[in-house]
Amino acid sequence: LDPCDAHLLDSSLPLDIADIQVRTNLLHEILQARLIRHIEQRIEDMSKRDHDSLRWTEQNLGRVSSIMVIMGHMKEDIDIEQRIEDMSKRDHDSLRWTEQ
């Protein structure tokens, strides 16, 4: 995020990059799970499950997640703080595992 553009953000949004990254990763996981569930439950024809539009959607979920978090379109829920804490711990544990 360019500091010159910080005024474009809602003042209630966290400007901490680490917090934005954690929230983006969490939202990306949620959207990816929803997309997979949508494909499995709603698209009966197996040949259509690999359609270009679905691949494009999957490839761009990370970008969409980032934009949604930065622009404040991520709805907070009751469990969000616990999910963020769990995700941070999981990310930390995976980094520790790769360093060994």
Side-chain angles (χ1 to χ4, degrees), residues 45-67:
D45 187 347
M46 295 298 275
S47 66
K48 293 182 180 180
R49 290 185 177 190
D50 193 36
H51 192 269
D52 289 341
S53 64
L54 294 173
R55 278 189 272 138
W56 180 89
T57 301
E58 184 178 11
Q59 291 170 354
N60 287 285
L61 281 179
R63 292 175 183 94
V64 170
S65 299
S66 297
I67 292 167

Side-chain angles (χ1 to χ4, degrees), residues 32-87:
Q32 200 166 29
R34 287 182 182 179
L35 178 63
I36 290 168
R37 186 174 60 233
H38 171 78
I39 291 169
E40 291 173 351
Q41 293 179 354
R42 302 286 303 226
I43 302 175
E44 296 174 5
D45 187 347
M46 295 298 275
S47 66
K48 293 182 180 180
R49 290 185 177 190
D50 193 36
H51 192 269
D52 289 341
S53 64
L54 294 173
R55 278 189 272 138
W56 180 89
T57 301
E58 184 178 11
Q59 291 170 354
N60 287 285
L61 281 179
R63 292 175 183 94
V64 170
S65 299
S66 297
I67 292 167
M68 289 177 67
V69 170
I70 290 170
M71 298 308 293
H73 291 286
M74 185 173 167
K75 178 98 175 165
E76 299 284 339
D77 69 14
I78 296 170
D79 295 332
I80 192 72
E81 296 305 323
Q82 184 61 44
R83 288 183 186 178
I84 289 172
E85 184 178 315
D86 292 346
M87 186 170 206

Side-chain angles (χ1 to χ4, degrees), residues 1-11 13-15 20 70-71:
L1 180 63
D2 185 350
C4 296
D5 294 332
H7 69 282
L8 298 174
L9 295 175
D10 183 322
S11 61
L13 289 176
L15 293 178
I20 290 172
I70 290 170
M71 298 308 293

Side-chain angles (χ1 to χ4, degrees), residues 5-27:
D5 294 332
H7 69 282
L8 298 174
L9 295 175
D10 183 322
S11 61
S12 65
L13 289 176
L15 293 178
D16 180 19
I17 297 299
D19 187 38
I20 290 172
Q21 289 174 334
V22 169
R23 290 171 187 269
T24 296
N25 291 340
L26 175 62
L27 182 58

